[in-house]
Amino acid sequence: MESKVSQYPFNLITKPIGPLCNLHCAYCFYLSKEELFFHEKKKEYIMSPKVLERYVKEYIQSQPPTAQEVVFAWQGGEPTLLGTGFFEDVLRLQKKHNIRNIKISNSIQTNGTLITDEMARFFKENDFLVGISIDGPEELHNRYRLNRSGKGSFHQVMAGIEKLKKHSVEFNTLTVVQDDNSKHPLEVYNFLKDAGSGYIQFIPIVEPSMGRKPVGGRTVAPLDWGKFLTAVFQQWLKEDIGRIYVQHFDLTLGQYMGLPSSLCVHGKYCGKAMAIEHNGNVYSCDHFVTEENYLGNISDSLADIVNSEKQVRFGMDKYDALSKECLNCAYLPLCYGGCPKDRLVKKTGGMQNWLCEGFYYYYDRTAAVYAAMAAALKNREPASFYKKYFRIPQEYARTINRNDPCPCLSGKKYKSCHGK
């Protein structure tokens, strides 16, 4: 029987082993999801062959005719606990149910500690994009990314990265920015470059608290988050533009080019990236795997789940529930209030993102450079030619000391850069 077709393309983040993981990272919000499946035995957390086939079939065949590609994003918990056999079944099922011959890609987000030579070869031979979770050099990484014995996981992660390099596997890195490593932006960034990461993602930790304060102690301070992004941006601009790709920078530049946000966090609306658990349950988002945000099971029509009134309302609320302060912000088109999970501060007419001050700091100090980069690209020149298009308003130029750093973030003094 053919699957119903969705009205628009959508993505599912797949949790084929639920919340099970060989590590016990202090800030991991997903470990607590075991409570949601408390009635199940841990051995039952693995996605069954029946659920897996139904999922693969529905995910491919429910996409609208306009869909150019279907991306299977395997996460956890720790998906490499399943071994290569599980993913061999995945590839077989993808081939079986790809009746429209659409492009299919696979990505896997892993802590890297269980990667073997066999697994690395499998990833290479089957074009898996591998995301490695690592928080910086050893001391910073081991602060919170611990194994079940309470010891740091740094050396195991690095061993996994070396196996990926050995077999020429394409990989990127995901770095959680928390209260500790947020104070060492360049140390973190330079380490990731040296480790061989050509595509870098930074994810800020915001832990809701049940106490007097809205957030927990591991949460990155708003201004620290803004300073972290800005410091890395300046370093990237000086040494790595066009060579290293940082998700936030690509995202912001795309928005200056008039493109829609490539990340749901900064889109006007959300709701097109849902999560599916090992048992086939589908939820509004992997940050909202709760009873309140349960949408249905894969045994039902996936298209009906995706297009349900409940999920549409979830996505629309991202913009509709913005505070008055957000709606009047100069950088609203770049931010759109950030992720709803981080809206923990009461403001007029709604809730405001905990990281608001940090995002504003970053946008405010990079705006002129992004505008110049966008101008270069629109003139069919590389973004690295941005200095040619950089403009400083005369009234602002009069306030700059000629020995100050140039506002174009080149690292040079103003008098020898744009102060001529």
Side-chain angles (χ1 to χ4, degrees), residues 67 77 81 85 99 110 132 178 189 202 206 280 291 331 349 379-380 382:
L81 284 167
I99 58 177
T110 170
I132 296 289
Q178 21 79 356
Y189 177 62
F202 293 119
V206 179
E291 292 182 2
Y331 298 116
N379 280 281
R380 301 182 181 278

Side-chain angles (χ1 to χ4, degrees), residues 240-391:
D240 302 310
I241 185 171
R243 189 176 68 87
I244 301 291
Y245 296 89
V246 180
Q247 185 184 54
H248 267 95
F249 306 162
D250 284 355
L251 165 66
T252 309
L253 180 56
Q255 291 169 307
Y256 270 86
M257 294 289 293
L259 301 174
S261 173
S262 58
L263 194 64
C264 59
V265 171
H266 295 300
K268 187 173 184 179
Y269 302 106
C270 63
K272 296 181 181 179
M274 287 144 283
I276 181 168
E277 279 287 345
H278 61 288
N279 57 8
N281 286 352
V282 181
Y283 296 87
S284 293
C285 168
D286 74 318
H287 287 286
F288 289 87
V289 176
T290 63
E291 292 182 2
E292 294 80 6
N293 293 100
Y294 170 73
L295 299 173
N297 189 274
I298 196 65
S299 59
D300 305 319
S301 163
L302 185 54
D304 287 345
I305 291 174
V306 171
N307 299 320
S308 67
E309 182 179 348
K310 183 175 183 178
Q311 183 62 5
V312 171
R313 184 69 264 162
F314 175 87
M316 297 292 285
D317 279 347
K318 183 177 188 297
Y319 179 79
D320 293 349
L322 284 174
S323 68
K324 183 178 179 180
E325 286 82 353
C326 282
L327 292 171
N328 291 328
C329 179
Y331 298 116
L332 176 65
L334 299 177
C335 179
Y336 285 114
C339 184
K341 74 177 179 63
D342 297 332
R343 295 180 185 176
L344 304 172
V345 182
K346 290 183 179 180
K347 290 289 183 178
T348 306
M351 300 295 287
Q352 187 167 293
N353 198 300
W354 167 259
L355 299 168
C356 176
E357 182 185 12
F359 278 121
Y360 193 97
Y361 182 98
Y362 160 65
Y363 292 136
D364 203 43
R365 282 156 180 77
T366 58
V369 175
Y370 276 119
M373 291 166 68
L377 291 172
K378 289 175 181 177
N379 280 281
R380 301 182 181 278
E381 294 190 279
S384 57
F385 283 30
Y386 75 94
K387 293 179 191 176
K388 179 178 176 182
Y389 298 91
F390 189 84
R391 299 290 181 267

Side-chain angles (χ1 to χ4, degrees), residues 26 33 73 87 101 123 170 198 204 214 229 297 301-302 329 359 365 371 406 420:
K33 298 304 175 185
F87 294 102
N101 199 31
F123 291 150
E170 183 180 356
L229 284 179
N297 189 274
S301 163
L302 185 54
C329 179
F359 278 121
R365 282 156 180 77
C406 187
K420 298 176 183 178

